[in-house]
Amino acid sequence: LIDEAAQCQESWTWGLFRNEVRHIYLAGDPHQLPAIVSQEGIILKHDRSLMSRLIELKYPTVFLDVQRRMHPDIVKFPNENFYNNKIKTDYKNKYKIKPFKIIDVKGKEKRIGTSYQNKIEAEYIIKLVKKINIKDTIVICPYKAQCKLLKGSKLNVFTIDSFQGREAECVIISTVRSENKIGFWKDYRRLN
């Protein structure tokens, strides 16, 4: 059983194709995070998973169409834009607050090695976490430099890839990028 199979480079699975292996089950979402590879690797399709290749070849699949983790208002955008409205919701809401809010922080990104950070956005997030006061709050971000900056404030901070498949009562997404540059988010799977 390969979980998050859409994130695995196809070559990582080749070693499983042996006579003694009778069944291989791939679980994952090809509309979410792909394997992380270099720009050259993307051109050579090294970011493609075995799961994605099999789906492209029309291999039979089962689409799990009921989600229970997100408020219907949150799942609405991905359902309409990535899943052709096939996802049904069976969500039990514990909180009587708005399920999400988009906040435009007028920050400025700074390149740190191969990563980015945005100190103004980080300061805003630190204040926001204290204000909302929900015990199980995590911050996710695609850039390690921003994660490092936020971890210094003793917040629960994860890269998006490292938090994949987990859940929390409150999730804050630090986008970092500003000045009309979207970087990481230009791949629809990462946005999803």
Side-chain angles (χ1 to χ4, degrees), residues 18-19 22 25 29 36 52-53 60 77 89-90 103 107 109 118 146 148 153 190:
R18 302 184 307 268
N19 288 336
R22 298 278 181 228
Y25 294 92
D29 186 346
I36 297 174
S52 295
R53 179 194 282 259
F77 175 78
T89 297
D90 181 20
I103 303 168
E109 68 191 43
N118 186 325
Q146 185 80 343
K148 185 176 179 182
S153 301
R190 295 202 169 273

Side-chain angles (χ1 to χ4, degrees), residues 143-161:
Y143 298 102
K144 288 185 180 179
Q146 185 80 343
C147 288
K148 185 176 179 182
L149 181 64
L150 287 163
K151 281 183 181 178
S153 301
K154 298 187 175 141
L155 300 179
N156 291 321
V157 182
F158 301 88
T159 62
I160 292 173
D161 291 4

Side-chain angles (χ1 to χ4, degrees), residues 18 58-59 92 157 171 178 185:
R18 302 184 307 268
K58 308 285 189 242
Y59 196 85
K92 310 295 187 255
V157 182
V171 177
S178 59
W185 308 104

Side-chain angles (χ1 to χ4, degrees), residues 92-109:
K92 310 295 187 255
N93 188 7
K94 292 194 242 183
Y95 300 102
K96 302 299 177 206
I97 59 175
K98 280 182 76 168
F100 73 92
K101 183 175 184 178
I102 297 171
I103 303 168
D104 184 10
V105 177
K106 301 293 185 206
K108 183 154 179 69
E109 68 191 43

